[in-house]
Amino acid sequence: MKKSIIPFVMGVIAVAMFSACEKDDEEDPVIPNEEELITTVRFHMVPASGGDTITWTFTDLDGDGGDAPVIVNGAALVAGVTYGTHLEFLNEVEDPIEDITEEVEDEAEEHQVFYMVDGADMTVSYTDSDANGFPLGLTTEVMTQSASSGSLEIILRHEPEKDEAGVSDGDITNAGGETDIEVSFDITIQ
C-alpha cells in the first residue's frame, strides 16, 4: 500500500508546482504605458511680422468630472497675418510644475497634435516633425484669412498611426491611438 501512495503524492506535488509557476506567470503585472496627467495647455501665437504674443490657456487642475476647466481665450487675431505658434503641456498638480511638453517631444514618434478649425477662416500647418519625418505639432504656422469667428480644437493623440491616409496632413479620422488631452478655444479674427 505504501508504494502506491508515494507516486500519488509526488504527482500532486508536481501538479501543484506547475500550477504555482503558471499562476506566477499569469499574475506578473503588465505595466501599461501610464498616461501623463495634463492639467494645463497653453497655445502661444506670435505674429511673424512682430508684435505681442497671444496666449490661449486651458486649465483643469482636478481633471475630468470635477470643476469645469478654466479657459482663457487670447486677444482676437488679425486677418491676413501669419503667426508662429508653440504649445505647452503642463502638470500643475506637481510641485514643481511638470513640463509634459518635453516628454511629448522626447517621444515624438508616439505623439501627434491635431488642430481642427471650425468656422474661422484660417489654416494651421505643421512646422516640426519626428525622427521619421512625420508631423509632431508642438509648433505650427497659423495663417488667418478674412474676418470671421469659430473655434480651434487641439487634440494630443498618443500612438497615432502616422502613416495612415491623411494623418500627416492633420486629419485625425484614421489616426487611431488614444487621446491624451482635447481642448477647444473660441477664435475671433478681425
Side-chain angles (χ1 to χ4, degrees):
M1 191 71 172
K2 275 186 173 180
K3 286 185 179 179
S4 64
I5 292 177
I6 291 174
F8 174 75
V9 170
M10 295 296 283
V12 169
I13 290 172
V15 169
M17 288 177 63
F18 284 118
S19 296
C21 290
E22 287 176 15
K23 194 171 186 175
D24 284 345
D25 291 342
E26 291 172 5
E27 290 181 359
D28 285 343
V30 175
I31 300 172
N33 184 14
E34 291 185 34
E35 291 184 24
E36 307 83 12
L37 175 61
I38 300 172
T39 62
T40 305
V41 178
R42 293 183 186 145
F43 186 55
H44 306 280
M45 304 180 70
V46 182
S49 58
D52 294 334
T53 299
I54 299 169
T55 300
W56 296 339
T57 305
F58 167 96
T59 305
D60 190 2
L61 297 178
D62 62 359
D64 291 338
D67 294 333
V70 176
I71 299 172
V72 178
N73 291 308
L77 305 179
V78 177
V81 171
T82 300
Y83 296 87
T85 79
H86 68 275
L87 270 172
E88 284 183 287
F89 297 107
L90 305 172
N91 178 358
E92 294 190 298
V93 173
E94 294 292 323
D95 185 19
I97 294 170
E98 183 181 10
D99 187 351
I100 304 297
T101 315
E102 295 172 2
E103 187 175 329
V104 171
E105 194 167 21
D106 290 345
E107 299 173 356
E109 292 84 5
E110 299 173 12
H111 292 92
Q112 184 171 340
V113 181
F114 294 88
Y115 298 85
M116 285 163 284
V117 179
D118 183 28
D121 191 7
M122 62 182 249
T123 60
V124 181
S125 305
Y126 292 108
T127 57
D128 59 357
S129 60
D130 65 20
N132 299 317
F134 292 112
L136 174 57
L138 290 176
T139 64
T140 62
E141 183 177 87
V142 170
M143 297 180 66
T144 58
Q145 306 300 320
S146 61
S148 54
S149 62
S151 64
L152 173 64
E153 191 171 6
I154 300 174
I155 299 173
L156 174 61
R157 186 62 61 95
H158 187 85
E159 296 187 344
E161 298 293 334
K162 293 187 174 189
D163 56 351
E164 289 295 323
V167 175
S168 290
D169 297 325
D171 183 352
I172 199 169
T173 305
N174 299 319
E178 294 184 19
T179 297
D180 284 337
I181 192 162
E182 178 176 353
V183 301
S184 182
F185 297 104
D186 293 332
I187 298 172
T188 300
I189 302 173
Q190 298 176 336

